[in-house]
Each structure stands twice: as C-alpha cells, then as structure tokens.
PDB file of all heavy atoms in Angstrom:
ATOM      1  N   ASN A   1      65.221 -47.281 -66.816  1.00 85.00           N
ATOM      2  CA  ASN A   1      65.991 -48.469 -67.447  1.00 85.00           C
ATOM      3  C   ASN A   1      67.449 -48.431 -67.378  1.00 85.00           C
ATOM      4  O   ASN A   1      68.240 -49.344 -67.251  1.00 85.00           O
ATOM      5  CB  ASN A   1      65.352 -48.784 -68.862  1.00 85.00           C
ATOM      6  CG  ASN A   1      63.945 -49.182 -68.789  1.00 85.00           C
ATOM      7  OD1 ASN A   1      63.496 -49.766 -67.825  1.00 85.00           O
ATOM      8  ND2 ASN A   1      63.204 -48.775 -69.866  1.00 85.00           N
ATOM      9  N   ALA A   2      67.956 -47.169 -67.667  1.00 87.00           N
ATOM     10  CA  ALA A   2      69.461 -47.030 -67.823  1.00 87.00           C
ATOM     11  C   ALA A   2      70.107 -47.250 -66.457  1.00 87.00           C
ATOM     12  O   ALA A   2      71.240 -47.830 -66.496  1.00 87.00           O
ATOM     13  CB  ALA A   2      69.772 -45.567 -68.330  1.00 87.00           C
ATOM     14  N   LYS A   3      69.485 -46.916 -65.417  1.00 88.00           N
ATOM     15  CA  LYS A   3      69.961 -47.042 -64.021  1.00 88.00           C
ATOM     16  C   LYS A   3      69.540 -48.293 -63.347  1.00 88.00           C
ATOM     17  O   LYS A   3      69.953 -48.548 -62.197  1.00 88.00           O
ATOM     18  CB  LYS A   3      69.841 -45.760 -63.216  1.00 88.00           C
ATOM     19  CG  LYS A   3      70.401 -44.567 -63.730  1.00 88.00           C
ATOM     20  CD  LYS A   3      70.226 -43.279 -62.794  1.00 88.00           C
ATOM     21  CE  LYS A   3      70.940 -42.117 -63.273  1.00 88.00           C
ATOM     22  NZ  LYS A   3      70.656 -40.994 -62.336  1.00 88.00           N
ATOM     23  N   ASN A   4      68.568 -48.843 -63.894  1.00 87.00           N
ATOM     24  CA  ASN A   4      67.921 -50.086 -63.272  1.00 87.00           C
ATOM     25  C   ASN A   4      67.368 -49.783 -61.881  1.00 87.00           C
ATOM     26  O   ASN A   4      67.661 -50.467 -60.923  1.00 87.00           O
ATOM     27  CB  ASN A   4      68.847 -51.261 -63.176  1.00 87.00           C
ATOM     28  CG  ASN A   4      68.214 -52.635 -62.930  1.00 87.00           C
ATOM     29  OD1 ASN A   4      67.115 -52.863 -63.394  1.00 87.00           O
ATOM     30  ND2 ASN A   4      68.909 -53.454 -62.230  1.00 87.00           N
ATOM     31  N   THR A   5      66.609 -48.676 -61.898  1.00 93.00           N
ATOM     32  CA  THR A   5      66.001 -48.212 -60.655  1.00 93.00           C
ATOM     33  C   THR A   5      64.509 -47.956 -60.909  1.00 93.00           C
ATOM     34  O   THR A   5      64.012 -47.759 -62.041  1.00 93.00           O
ATOM     35  CB  THR A   5      66.618 -47.010 -60.153  1.00 93.00           C
ATOM     36  OG1 THR A   5      66.456 -45.879 -61.158  1.00 93.00           O
ATOM     37  CG2 THR A   5      68.128 -47.180 -59.883  1.00 93.00           C
ATOM     38  N   VAL A   6      63.809 -47.959 -59.784  1.00 95.00           N
ATOM     39  CA  VAL A   6      62.496 -47.517 -59.837  1.00 95.00           C
ATOM     40  C   VAL A   6      62.496 -46.302 -58.962  1.00 95.00           C
ATOM     41  O   VAL A   6      62.765 -46.357 -57.695  1.00 95.00           O
ATOM     42  CB  VAL A   6      61.374 -48.535 -59.336  1.00 95.00           C
ATOM     43  CG1 VAL A   6      60.013 -47.910 -59.143  1.00 95.00           C
ATOM     44  CG2 VAL A   6      61.382 -49.630 -60.412  1.00 95.00           C
ATOM     45  N   ASP A   7      62.047 -45.060 -59.359  1.00 97.00           N
ATOM     46  CA  ASP A   7      62.061 -43.918 -58.674  1.00 97.00           C
ATOM     47  C   ASP A   7      60.608 -43.430 -58.257  1.00 97.00           C
ATOM     48  O   ASP A   7      59.713 -43.624 -58.808  1.00 97.00           O
ATOM     49  CB  ASP A   7      62.687 -42.832 -59.460  1.00 97.00           C
ATOM     50  CG  ASP A   7      64.129 -43.240 -59.991  1.00 97.00           C
ATOM     51  OD1 ASP A   7      64.768 -43.993 -59.254  1.00 97.00           O
ATOM     52  OD2 ASP A   7      64.519 -42.680 -61.023  1.00 97.00           O
ATOM     53  N   LEU A   8      60.640 -42.672 -57.218  1.00 98.00           N
ATOM     54  CA  LEU A   8      59.391 -42.093 -56.625  1.00 98.00           C
ATOM     55  C   LEU A   8      59.643 -40.623 -56.491  1.00 98.00           C
ATOM     56  O   LEU A   8      60.384 -40.232 -55.536  1.00 98.00           O
ATOM     57  CB  LEU A   8      59.013 -42.720 -55.253  1.00 98.00           C
ATOM     58  CG  LEU A   8      57.605 -42.284 -54.725  1.00 98.00           C
ATOM     59  CD1 LEU A   8      56.524 -42.746 -55.587  1.00 98.00           C
ATOM     60  CD2 LEU A   8      57.448 -42.742 -53.298  1.00 98.00           C
ATOM     61  N   GLN A   9      59.091 -39.860 -57.362  1.00 98.00           N
ATOM     62  CA  GLN A   9      59.160 -38.370 -57.175  1.00 98.00           C
ATOM     63  C   GLN A   9      57.979 -37.932 -56.300  1.00 98.00           C
ATOM     64  O   GLN A   9      56.890 -38.204 -56.638  1.00 98.00           O
ATOM     65  CB  GLN A   9      59.029 -37.724 -58.705  1.00 98.00           C
ATOM     66  CG  GLN A   9      59.090 -36.131 -58.564  1.00 98.00           C
ATOM     67  CD  GLN A   9      60.277 -35.664 -58.164  1.00 98.00           C
ATOM     68  OE1 GLN A   9      61.340 -36.195 -58.608  1.00 98.00           O
ATOM     69  NE2 GLN A   9      60.316 -34.640 -57.269  1.00 98.00           N
ATOM     70  N   MET A  10      58.368 -37.235 -55.297  1.00 98.00           N
ATOM     71  CA  MET A  10      57.407 -36.851 -54.363  1.00 98.00           C
ATOM     72  C   MET A  10      57.328 -35.256 -54.236  1.00 98.00           C
ATOM     73  O   MET A  10      58.422 -34.614 -53.913  1.00 98.00           O
ATOM     74  CB  MET A  10      57.835 -37.407 -52.927  1.00 98.00           C
ATOM     75  CG  MET A  10      57.873 -38.904 -52.860  1.00 98.00           C
ATOM     76  SD  MET A  10      58.087 -39.478 -51.170  1.00 98.00           S
ATOM     77  CE  MET A  10      59.675 -38.775 -50.788  1.00 98.00           C
ATOM     78  N   ASN A  11      56.264 -34.743 -54.612  1.00 98.00           N
ATOM     79  CA  ASN A  11      56.065 -33.339 -54.664  1.00 98.00           C
ATOM     80  C   ASN A  11      54.967 -32.898 -53.624  1.00 98.00           C
ATOM     81  O   ASN A  11      54.175 -33.733 -53.127  1.00 98.00           O
ATOM     82  CB  ASN A  11      55.679 -32.774 -56.065  1.00 98.00           C
ATOM     83  CG  ASN A  11      56.709 -33.076 -57.123  1.00 98.00           C
ATOM     84  OD1 ASN A  11      57.869 -33.109 -56.777  1.00 98.00           O
ATOM     85  ND2 ASN A  11      56.258 -33.336 -58.361  1.00 98.00           N
ATOM     86  N   SER A  12      54.969 -31.563 -53.341  1.00 98.00           N
ATOM     87  CA  SER A  12      54.007 -31.039 -52.420  1.00 98.00           C
ATOM     88  C   SER A  12      53.917 -31.850 -51.093  1.00 98.00           C
ATOM     89  O   SER A  12      52.876 -32.339 -50.608  1.00 98.00           O
ATOM     90  CB  SER A  12      52.649 -30.969 -53.062  1.00 98.00           C
ATOM     91  OG  SER A  12      52.680 -30.248 -54.180  1.00 98.00           O
ATOM     92  N   LEU A  13      55.072 -32.145 -50.541  1.00 98.00           N
ATOM     93  CA  LEU A  13      55.160 -32.939 -49.438  1.00 98.00           C
ATOM     94  C   LEU A  13      54.508 -32.447 -48.116  1.00 98.00           C
ATOM     95  O   LEU A  13      54.530 -31.175 -48.033  1.00 98.00           O
ATOM     96  CB  LEU A  13      56.508 -33.377 -49.094  1.00 98.00           C
ATOM     97  CG  LEU A  13      57.208 -34.371 -50.025  1.00 98.00           C
ATOM     98  CD1 LEU A  13      58.731 -34.334 -49.934  1.00 98.00           C
ATOM     99  CD2 LEU A  13      56.586 -35.786 -49.622  1.00 98.00           C
ATOM    100  N   ARG A  14      53.867 -33.276 -47.394  1.00 98.00           N
ATOM    101  CA  ARG A  14      53.101 -32.834 -46.227  1.00 98.00           C
ATOM    102  C   ARG A  14      53.735 -33.505 -44.954  1.00 98.00           C
ATOM    103  O   ARG A  14      54.440 -34.497 -45.149  1.00 98.00           O
ATOM    104  CB  ARG A  14      51.604 -33.187 -46.287  1.00 98.00           C
ATOM    105  CG  ARG A  14      51.004 -32.697 -47.510  1.00 98.00           C
ATOM    106  CD  ARG A  14      49.626 -33.439 -47.720  1.00 98.00           C
ATOM    107  NE  ARG A  14      48.895 -32.866 -48.861  1.00 98.00           N
ATOM    108  CZ  ARG A  14      47.906 -33.587 -49.511  1.00 98.00           C
ATOM    109  NH1 ARG A  14      47.467 -34.688 -48.996  1.00 98.00           N
ATOM    110  NH2 ARG A  14      47.386 -33.037 -50.637  1.00 98.00           N
ATOM    111  N   SER A  15      53.476 -33.013 -43.753  1.00 98.00           N
ATOM    112  CA  SER A  15      54.023 -33.568 -42.609  1.00 98.00           C
ATOM    113  C   SER A  15      53.478 -35.104 -42.465  1.00 98.00           C
ATOM    114  O   SER A  15      54.293 -35.917 -41.912  1.00 98.00           O
ATOM    115  CB  SER A  15      53.626 -32.794 -41.318  1.00 98.00           C
ATOM    116  OG  SER A  15      52.158 -32.738 -41.215  1.00 98.00           O
ATOM    117  N   GLU A  16      52.389 -35.329 -43.013  1.00 97.00           N
ATOM    118  CA  GLU A  16      51.872 -36.655 -42.778  1.00 97.00           C
ATOM    119  C   GLU A  16      52.572 -37.639 -43.733  1.00 97.00           C
ATOM    120  O   GLU A  16      52.301 -38.851 -43.624  1.00 97.00           O
ATOM    121  CB  GLU A  16      50.280 -36.765 -43.044  1.00 97.00           C
ATOM    122  CG  GLU A  16      49.819 -36.062 -44.296  1.00 97.00           C
ATOM    123  CD  GLU A  16      49.349 -34.652 -44.051  1.00 97.00           C
ATOM    124  OE1 GLU A  16      50.065 -33.934 -43.254  1.00 97.00           O
ATOM    125  OE2 GLU A  16      48.334 -34.310 -44.754  1.00 97.00           O
ATOM    126  N   ASP A  17      53.451 -37.183 -44.595  1.00 98.00           N
ATOM    127  CA  ASP A  17      54.194 -38.026 -45.553  1.00 98.00           C
ATOM    128  C   ASP A  17      55.318 -38.545 -44.707  1.00 98.00           C
ATOM    129  O   ASP A  17      56.121 -39.389 -45.366  1.00 98.00           O
ATOM    130  CB  ASP A  17      54.628 -37.364 -46.698  1.00 98.00           C
ATOM    131  CG  ASP A  17      53.415 -36.949 -47.674  1.00 98.00           C
ATOM    132  OD1 ASP A  17      52.450 -37.783 -47.806  1.00 98.00           O
ATOM    133  OD2 ASP A  17      53.408 -35.870 -48.206  1.00 98.00           O
ATOM    134  N   THR A  18      55.640 -38.076 -43.546  1.00 98.00           N
ATOM    135  CA  THR A  18      56.794 -38.493 -42.754  1.00 98.00           C
ATOM    136  C   THR A  18      56.719 -40.017 -42.520  1.00 98.00           C
ATOM    137  O   THR A  18      55.736 -40.332 -41.883  1.00 98.00           O
ATOM    138  CB  THR A  18      56.926 -37.669 -41.506  1.00 98.00           C
ATOM    139  OG1 THR A  18      57.147 -36.293 -41.811  1.00 98.00           O
ATOM    140  CG2 THR A  18      58.043 -38.219 -40.621  1.00 98.00           C
ATOM    141  N   ALA A  19      57.779 -40.674 -42.804  1.00 98.00           N
ATOM    142  CA  ALA A  19      57.707 -42.129 -42.661  1.00 98.00           C
ATOM    143  C   ALA A  19      59.112 -42.676 -43.024  1.00 98.00           C
ATOM    144  O   ALA A  19      59.779 -41.979 -43.791  1.00 98.00           O
ATOM    145  CB  ALA A  19      56.672 -42.764 -43.390  1.00 98.00           C
ATOM    146  N   VAL A  20      59.318 -44.000 -42.803  1.00 98.00           N
ATOM    147  CA  VAL A  20      60.365 -44.660 -43.474  1.00 98.00           C
ATOM    148  C   VAL A  20      59.762 -45.306 -44.711  1.00 98.00           C
ATOM    149  O   VAL A  20      58.640 -45.868 -44.679  1.00 98.00           O
ATOM    150  CB  VAL A  20      60.875 -45.832 -42.567  1.00 98.00           C
ATOM    151  CG1 VAL A  20      61.963 -46.644 -43.341  1.00 98.00           C
ATOM    152  CG2 VAL A  20      61.462 -45.224 -41.231  1.00 98.00           C
ATOM    153  N   TYR A  21      60.376 -45.062 -45.800  1.00 98.00           N
ATOM    154  CA  TYR A  21      59.936 -45.534 -47.124  1.00 98.00           C
ATOM    155  C   TYR A  21      60.724 -46.815 -47.519  1.00 98.00           C
ATOM    156  O   TYR A  21      62.011 -46.737 -47.519  1.00 98.00           O
ATOM    157  CB  TYR A  21      60.066 -44.372 -48.188  1.00 98.00           C
ATOM    158  CG  TYR A  21      58.948 -43.398 -48.065  1.00 98.00           C
ATOM    159  CD1 TYR A  21      58.874 -42.489 -47.064  1.00 98.00           C
ATOM    160  CD2 TYR A  21      57.962 -43.324 -49.029  1.00 98.00           C
ATOM    161  CE1 TYR A  21      57.940 -41.558 -46.869  1.00 98.00           C
ATOM    162  CE2 TYR A  21      56.955 -42.374 -48.862  1.00 98.00           C
ATOM    163  CZ  TYR A  21      56.922 -41.535 -47.797  1.00 98.00           C
ATOM    164  OH  TYR A  21      55.991 -40.558 -47.681  1.00 98.00           O
ATOM    165  N   TYR A  22      59.999 -47.816 -47.847  1.00 98.00           N
ATOM    166  CA  TYR A  22      60.627 -49.087 -48.252  1.00 98.00           C
ATOM    167  C   TYR A  22      60.293 -49.390 -49.670  1.00 98.00           C
ATOM    168  O   TYR A  22      59.258 -49.219 -50.190  1.00 98.00           O
ATOM    169  CB  TYR A  22      60.034 -50.217 -47.382  1.00 98.00           C
ATOM    170  CG  TYR A  22      60.401 -50.085 -45.952  1.00 98.00           C
ATOM    171  CD1 TYR A  22      59.552 -49.472 -45.010  1.00 98.00           C
ATOM    172  CD2 TYR A  22      61.533 -50.628 -45.437  1.00 98.00           C
ATOM    173  CE1 TYR A  22      59.875 -49.280 -43.702  1.00 98.00           C
ATOM    174  CE2 TYR A  22      61.895 -50.501 -44.016  1.00 98.00           C
ATOM    175  CZ  TYR A  22      61.029 -49.885 -43.108  1.00 98.00           C
ATOM    176  OH  TYR A  22      61.276 -49.747 -41.974  1.00 98.00           O
ATOM    177  N   CYS A  23      61.193 -49.999 -50.348  1.00 97.00           N
ATOM    178  CA  CYS A  23      61.035 -50.513 -51.648  1.00 97.00           C
ATOM    179  C   CYS A  23      60.806 -51.938 -51.504  1.00 97.00           C
ATOM    180  O   CYS A  23      61.462 -52.688 -50.843  1.00 97.00           O
ATOM    181  CB  CYS A  23      62.312 -50.227 -52.545  1.00 97.00           C
ATOM    182  SG  CYS A  23      62.076 -50.768 -54.325  1.00 97.00           S
ATOM    183  N   ASN A  24      59.884 -52.570 -52.446  1.00 96.00           N
ATOM    184  CA  ASN A  24      59.583 -53.828 -52.474  1.00 96.00           C
ATOM    185  C   ASN A  24      59.507 -54.431 -53.807  1.00 96.00           C
ATOM    186  O   ASN A  24      58.872 -53.769 -54.761  1.00 96.00           O
ATOM    187  CB  ASN A  24      58.184 -54.200 -51.766  1.00 96.00           C
ATOM    188  CG  ASN A  24      57.789 -55.617 -51.930  1.00 96.00           C
ATOM    189  OD1 ASN A  24      57.160 -55.946 -52.917  1.00 96.00           O
ATOM    190  ND2 ASN A  24      58.148 -56.433 -50.999  1.00 96.00           N
ATOM    191  N   ALA A  25      60.131 -55.496 -54.135  1.00 94.00           N
ATOM    192  CA  ALA A  25      60.110 -56.122 -55.438  1.00 94.00           C
ATOM    193  C   ALA A  25      59.522 -57.485 -55.312  1.00 94.00           C
ATOM    194  O   ALA A  25      59.915 -58.236 -54.537  1.00 94.00           O
ATOM    195  CB  ALA A  25      61.537 -56.175 -56.013  1.00 94.00           C
ATOM    196  N   ALA A  26      58.538 -57.627 -56.090  1.00 93.00           N
ATOM    197  CA  ALA A  26      57.794 -58.903 -56.217  1.00 93.00           C
ATOM    198  C   ALA A  26      58.353 -59.677 -57.490  1.00 93.00           C
ATOM    199  O   ALA A  26      58.205 -59.199 -58.529  1.00 93.00           O
ATOM    200  CB  ALA A  26      56.277 -58.864 -56.292  1.00 93.00           C
ATOM    201  N   ALA A  27      59.023 -60.768 -57.219  1.00 90.00           N
ATOM    202  CA  ALA A  27      59.772 -61.393 -58.301  1.00 90.00           C
ATOM    203  C   ALA A  27      59.577 -62.935 -58.272  1.00 90.00           C
ATOM    204  O   ALA A  27      59.521 -63.497 -57.268  1.00 90.00           O
ATOM    205  CB  ALA A  27      61.238 -61.142 -58.154  1.00 90.00           C
ATOM    206  N   ARG A  28      59.526 -63.383 -59.498  1.00 89.00           N
ATOM    207  CA  ARG A  28      59.223 -64.784 -59.691  1.00 89.00           C
ATOM    208  C   ARG A  28      60.441 -65.521 -60.056  1.00 89.00           C
ATOM    209  O   ARG A  28      61.117 -65.043 -61.092  1.00 89.00           O
ATOM    210  CB  ARG A  28      58.137 -65.071 -60.757  1.00 89.00           C
ATOM    211  CG  ARG A  28      57.548 -66.535 -60.794  1.00 89.00           C
ATOM    212  CD  ARG A  28      56.472 -66.598 -61.744  1.00 89.00           C
ATOM    213  NE  ARG A  28      55.407 -65.770 -61.467  1.00 89.00           N
ATOM    214  CZ  ARG A  28      54.371 -65.935 -60.666  1.00 89.00           C
ATOM    215  NH1 ARG A  28      54.350 -67.160 -59.913  1.00 89.00           N
ATOM    216  NH2 ARG A  28      53.418 -65.080 -60.553  1.00 89.00           N
ATOM    217  N   GLY A  29      60.775 -66.485 -59.458  1.00 90.00           N
ATOM    218  CA  GLY A  29      62.127 -67.287 -59.687  1.00 90.00           C
ATOM    219  C   GLY A  29      61.892 -67.970 -61.094  1.00 90.00           C
ATOM    220  O   GLY A  29      60.957 -68.639 -61.349  1.00 90.00           O
ATOM    221  N   VAL A  30      62.934 -67.823 -61.835  1.00 88.00           N
ATOM    222  CA  VAL A  30      62.928 -68.465 -63.115  1.00 88.00           C
ATOM    223  C   VAL A  30      63.107 -69.993 -63.131  1.00 88.00           C
ATOM    224  O   VAL A  30      62.663 -70.630 -63.991  1.00 88.00           O
ATOM    225  CB  VAL A  30      64.039 -67.885 -64.105  1.00 88.00           C
ATOM    226  CG1 VAL A  30      63.793 -66.411 -64.392  1.00 88.00           C
ATOM    227  CG2 VAL A  30      65.412 -68.104 -63.524  1.00 88.00           C
ATOM    228  N   ARG A  31      63.516 -70.398 -61.990  1.00 90.00           N
ATOM    229  CA  ARG A  31      63.875 -71.899 -61.905  1.00 90.00           C
ATOM    230  C   ARG A  31      62.607 -72.573 -61.271  1.00 90.00           C
ATOM    231  O   ARG A  31      62.218 -73.656 -61.728  1.00 90.00           O
ATOM    232  CB  ARG A  31      65.113 -72.191 -61.041  1.00 90.00           C
ATOM    233  CG  ARG A  31      65.369 -73.729 -60.937  1.00 90.00           C
ATOM    234  CD  ARG A  31      66.858 -73.754 -60.420  1.00 90.00           C
ATOM    235  NE  ARG A  31      67.173 -75.170 -60.300  1.00 90.00           N
ATOM    236  CZ  ARG A  31      68.422 -75.595 -60.036  1.00 90.00           C
ATOM    237  NH1 ARG A  31      69.389 -74.656 -59.568  1.00 90.00           N
ATOM    238  NH2 ARG A  31      68.733 -76.866 -59.869  1.00 90.00           N
ATOM    239  N   ASP A  32      62.065 -72.065 -60.303  1.00 92.00           N
ATOM    240  CA  ASP A  32      61.019 -72.701 -59.622  1.00 92.00           C
ATOM    241  C   ASP A  32      59.680 -72.003 -59.703  1.00 92.00           C
ATOM    242  O   ASP A  32      58.572 -72.605 -59.380  1.00 92.00           O
ATOM    243  CB  ASP A  32      61.261 -72.861 -58.106  1.00 92.00           C
ATOM    244  CG  ASP A  32      61.487 -71.455 -57.349  1.00 92.00           C
ATOM    245  OD1 ASP A  32      61.091 -70.413 -57.906  1.00 92.00           O
ATOM    246  OD2 ASP A  32      62.056 -71.525 -56.180  1.00 92.00           O
TER     247      ASP A  32
END
C-alpha cells in the first residue's frame, strides 16, 4: 500500500518459469 504496487515474489524458480511477465489491472470506471 505504501508504494501502491502489487508484487510477485518468485522463489525456487525453474527453467519453465522463463517468460515475459505482464501485470494486468481490472478496473471499473467510477463514471461509467
């Protein structure tokens, strides 16, 4: 909350974890 971030701690990484990682926010417009 202090940094206004969502973090992903990844431990015990494997080769199959190799990828481009994307963040997605689902947000509802306050106006519409």
Side-chain angles (χ1 to χ4, degrees):
N1 291 327
K3 296 183 178 180
N4 197 31
T5 63
V6 172
D7 301 332
L8 184 69
Q9 178 66 45
M10 306 187 296
N11 299 326
S12 302
L13 284 162
R14 308 163 180 167
S15 60
E16 54 263 40
D17 295 318
T18 296
V20 178
Y21 283 70
Y22 297 91
C23 184
N24 172 272
R28 192 177 302 277
V30 297
R31 186 168 183 174
D32 60 15

